[in-house]
Amino acid sequence: MRRASGDRDRRPPAAGFIAVANRDGLPARGGFIHLRVDGRVLQPIAVPMGSSATDTALHVADALRAAGFDAIVTVNPRTVFGAAPGADIVVRRRNGQLALIDAPSGLPITTDPQQRIELGAVDLGDGLEEFDNMTAASGTLEERMLIKTLADDDPSTIDLFIINRFTHGTRQGEAFIEASGGAIGNAVILDRTGLRHRESAWTMAHEIGHVLLNQPLHPDNVGRDRPWLLMDSDNNRGTVNGPKRLTPEECSLARDTVGAPPGVLKPYGERSAKAR
């Protein structure tokens, strides 16, 4: 769920997440952004004509910091249909809690007629809105808010999120990888179906494989169907029982690729020595 620019109704404030030019990446035509943070109305933030999403996000972050809040700006990969990358801002109080954000009474969040400003909200009542092939690199606004506000930012770990379901039911699991060039990496989302199929589809292992291989594609995207392989896209076929497998080439790729997540894979002996 999201709250778009121009909303004038009195919905509850959103928790600490602002998206600039979500999905379309359009530049500003010029205008003012109006924000109320934790009940405090900020001075209108002027956005010059031609400002990119990143420029606008940095302007807003500066205003939030001047008001005593912590604000972190991240840039998202351009969607397939987008004009340019979008940007997000995570807003926290000094104690690390997410701040509450809405528009002042009677004002739109932005007066810009082109560059949208949206407040993120994660509502699992209708599931988590999943990405499609057009937005896979950036993720949806709901996914980005979930991960950017809760992930630990430790490159040596993989963050796993378990949800009830995906809104449109098109996936059982998703992986966000470093190769996408965005602010989200080393993250996996699974729904209950993905967990339930752990001994047939091996969904969690499959999605973690995407992270370790730093690779969004599947072997059968570019070759013959081999459902006994872990990274095959239809590895839940009932014709293959038993463990799914990685090829020797995939193991080498996970171990040796320059772009692989730093610190995630380490020699087994090194981990054992540290454990002792």
Side-chain angles (χ1 to χ4, degrees):
M1 295 182 65
R2 64 176 183 265
R3 292 181 53 196
S5 54
D7 282 357
R8 293 173 180 267
D9 55 347
R10 302 296 349 129
R11 299 180 188 178
F17 196 88
I18 303 172
V20 183
N22 179 47
R23 295 170 59 92
D24 56 38
L26 291 173
R29 289 189 181 178
F32 291 89
I33 295 173
H34 304 282
L35 295 175
R36 180 168 56 184
V37 186
D38 281 347
R40 176 182 171 186
V41 177
L42 274 58
Q43 290 295 319
I45 304 166
V47 179
M49 182 177 181
S51 295
S52 68
T54 303
D55 292 336
T56 299
L58 291 173
H59 280 305
V60 173
D62 286 342
L64 288 164
R65 293 181 191 120
F69 297 93
D70 291 329
I72 297 177
V73 174
T74 52
V75 180
N76 305 311
R78 183 179 67 86
T79 61
V80 171
F81 52 81
D88 298 325
I89 313 165
V90 175
V91 186
R92 298 184 185 273
R93 303 168 187 138
R94 295 299 191 193
N95 63 5
Q97 295 178 339
L98 292 172
L100 298 178
I101 306 172
D102 63 354
S105 179
L107 293 173
I109 295 174
T110 180
T111 62
D112 192 297
Q114 178 168 274
Q115 189 178 73
R116 292 181 299 161
I117 304 295
E118 299 174 82
L119 303 182
V122 176
D123 182 359
L124 297 180
D126 62 350
L128 184 75
E129 184 181 7
E130 67 266 40
F131 61 63
D132 55 28
N133 290 338
M134 303 291 104
T135 59
S138 65
T140 66
L141 191 160
E142 201 167 27
E143 289 172 326
R144 297 199 311 272
M145 179 175 179
L146 175 72
I147 295 173
K148 290 183 180 181
T149 59
L150 295 179
D152 62 13
D153 296 324
D154 182 351
S156 68
T157 64
I158 296 174
D159 293 293
L160 173 63
F161 297 86
I162 306 297
I163 61 170
N164 54 341
R165 65 184 178 91
F166 289 101
T167 299
H168 305 293
T170 60
R171 303 176 187 276
Q172 297 176 7
E174 293 180 339
F176 294 85
I177 63 175
E178 290 192 341
S180 297
I184 300 176
N186 295 10
V188 170
I189 303 175
L190 292 181
D191 71 358
R192 288 179 297 190
T193 303
L195 288 177
R196 190 162 58 243
H197 287 174
R198 64 178 184 173
E199 294 181 357
S200 56
W202 299 82
T203 307
M204 182 164 66
H206 175 93
E207 298 301 338
I208 290 175
H210 280 300
V211 174
L212 296 179
L213 293 168
N214 206 24
Q215 171 61 263
L217 300 178
H218 302 97
D220 52 329
N221 292 149
V222 293
R224 67 188 179 91
D225 186 26
R226 293 178 289 178
W228 58 88
L229 294 181
L230 176 66
M231 300 312 298
D232 193 88
S233 62
D234 61 353
N235 60 16
N236 61 343
R237 277 177 45 177
T239 55
V240 177
N241 295 317
K244 308 298 180 180
R245 290 172 169 79
L246 292 169
T247 66
E249 293 78 12
E250 287 170 335
C251 292
S252 296
L253 181 65
R255 184 179 61 244
D256 301 330
T257 298
V258 174
V264 174
L265 288 178
K266 295 180 180 179
Y268 179 76
E270 180 181 339
R271 290 188 182 274
S272 298
K274 288 185 177 180
R276 291 195 297 268

